[in-house]
Amino acid sequence: MTAPARPIRVVAFGGGHGLSASLRALRHAARELPLDITAIVTVGDDGGSSGRLRVERDALLPPGDLRQALAALADDHPHAQLTATLMQHRFVAMSPPDGAAPPPVLRGPRIERRADRSKDTLAGHAVGNLLLLGLMEMLGDPVRALDHAAAMVGARGRVLPMALHAVGIEADVIDGAGRRSTIRGQHSVAVVDGRVEAVRLEPADPPACPQAVEAVGAADWLIFGPGSWYTSVLPHLLVPGLARAIVASPARRLVTLNLGTDKETHGLSAAGHLGTLHGYLPSLRVDTVLADEKWAGEPEPVRVAAQRMGAELVLAPVAVADGSPRHDPEALGVALVPVLGAAR
């Protein structure tokens, strides 16, 4: 009897919505190919719920991007999907604007002394962020905490942080008047008005997650993007221990290009995205660049930029049908199947 084929070990790097789209696409591709999926997630988020937990609880890791990756990998079983939906649920403020009806809430027995709601400390927090924070505090090990949370949603893959503690992100930015300034904080860099000239981590040499380094060394494919280029994709290349593992890995490498620019990459072309990636890790060899045939624009500059990194450009329709610059996970999954399966 023929032994079953070994799964293709795929490691996806990123954070936030971009990594979530990539992981959902890999879930679709796993219907056609045996995939062993690992997500390595940036840990620089300092906005919203994650930022508050970093300040108020001195959270070891910002949980928001990790939570989104877990939800994207959740099993299709209704129980797992309900748990994933719960993790994504975000508490809304209980004090409505003057004259507005309060949101419907299930309440327990009436009590005589009502709590002071002038400070709604839960508003804005996602349930999964609080869950992950609790697990990390209780277990004292972020990887064990993530593995436990993954079991709760029946995750079809593993979620790991890129580093063992939270990092800061800062960038040198030139504004419209040509003035240079330093912007600190992932959220501030993501929404900056101006051209990002350089980005770095604080501290500059955070300890790479050992399990992430191990996964990179054992991978068949490393996938970078889509996602916020300066704050979700490039940070992985700025963790020295992880960067060394990426360069040394025998895996093939795939870059999935964004469908457009955001605030932090305003004015950066598709070819420019590749040039920036190469600039931060010149020894990074890439095998395939995947881009949407409509959003890539004139393909020749992208093809030339890909060839400089040793890569073949693959064009495929991977955007959602409504014309917005968002990846369709199912379409992206279809495009990934022949790429990931070619090495088998």
Side-chain angles (χ1 to χ4, degrees):
M1 187 170 69
T2 304
R6 177 180 66 79
I8 303 170
R9 293 181 288 240
V10 179
V11 174
F13 300 86
H17 297 294
L19 178 60
S20 178
S22 182
L23 296 176
R24 292 180 191 279
L26 288 168
R27 290 288 314 282
H28 282 287
R31 298 172 182 174
E32 303 292 331
L33 296 171
L35 298 183
D36 180 346
I37 305 167
T38 299
I40 299 181
V41 185
T42 184
V43 291
D45 189 7
D46 64 348
S49 172
S50 288
R52 289 166 57 191
L53 293 174
R54 286 182 67 168
V55 171
E56 297 168 5
R57 299 289 306 185
D58 193 21
L60 183 64
L61 295 174
D65 289 344
L66 297 163
R67 180 201 81 243
Q68 290 202 55
L70 288 167
L73 288 173
D75 188 78
D76 293 331
H77 188 278
H79 178 80
Q81 284 296 307
L82 179 60
T83 304
T85 301
L86 171 64
M87 291 178 66
Q88 295 285 66
H89 173 74
R90 196 173 294 274
F91 293 102
V92 297
M94 289 298 297
S95 301
D98 291 343
V105 177
L106 294 176
R107 304 187 186 281
R110 183 178 179 85
I111 58 176
E112 292 301 321
R113 183 175 298 173
R114 296 176 62 83
D116 178 13
R117 288 189 183 148
S118 60
K119 294 183 179 180
D120 190 348
T121 56
L122 279 179
H125 281 305
V127 172
N129 288 359
L130 302 178
L131 171 69
L132 286 173
L133 177 66
L135 284 169
M136 285 188 279
E137 289 187 357
M138 183 175 69
L139 299 175
D141 180 344
V143 173
R144 283 183 61 202
L146 286 163
D147 286 344
H148 186 87
M152 293 175 67
V153 297
R156 313 306 292 176
R158 197 178 192 193
V159 175
L160 296 169
M162 72 175 189
L164 289 178
H165 61 64
V167 301
I169 295 178
E170 62 180 38
D172 295 331
V173 177
I174 297 179
D175 65 16
R179 294 183 297 261
R180 181 184 295 269
S181 62
T182 298
I183 305 298
R184 293 179 174 84
Q186 184 267 350
H187 176 71
S188 296
V189 174
V191 299
V192 69
D193 285 319
R195 185 176 73 253
V196 176
E197 290 285 291
V199 66
R200 53 192 166 270
L201 299 183
E202 176 60 38
D205 189 8
C209 173
Q211 292 87 345
V213 170
E214 181 181 0
V216 169
D220 298 303
W221 280 95
L222 305 178
I223 299 179
F224 303 90
S228 300
W229 220 240
Y230 288 109
T231 54
S232 289
V233 178
L234 288 176
H236 295 84
L237 309 184
L238 302 178
V239 179
L242 193 56
R244 288 192 294 269
I246 289 169
V247 171
S249 175
R252 295 191 177 196
R253 296 159 181 84
L254 165 70
V255 176
T256 304
L257 286 177
N258 290 338
L259 300 177
T261 59
D262 46 26
K263 293 276 286 186
E264 67 182 54
T265 54
H266 181 69
L268 191 66
S269 66
H273 278 71
L274 292 175
T276 302
L277 197 68
H278 178 67
Y280 279 90
L281 193 58
S283 53
L284 176 66
R285 176 183 58 82
V286 176
D287 296 272
T288 304
V289 171
L290 177 60
D292 184 82
E293 53 192 7
K294 172 186 173 184
W295 286 91
E298 171 55 45
E300 194 55 28
V302 187
R303 196 181 311 277
V304 170
Q307 289 173 346
R308 288 195 185 110
M309 302 179 76
E312 172 192 8
L313 175 63
V314 174
L315 297 173
V318 295
V320 293
D322 64 8
S324 61
R326 294 180 297 114
H327 285 86
D328 180 327
E330 186 169 358
L332 181 56
V334 169
L336 286 174
V337 168
V339 175
L340 301 180
R344 292 184 66 78

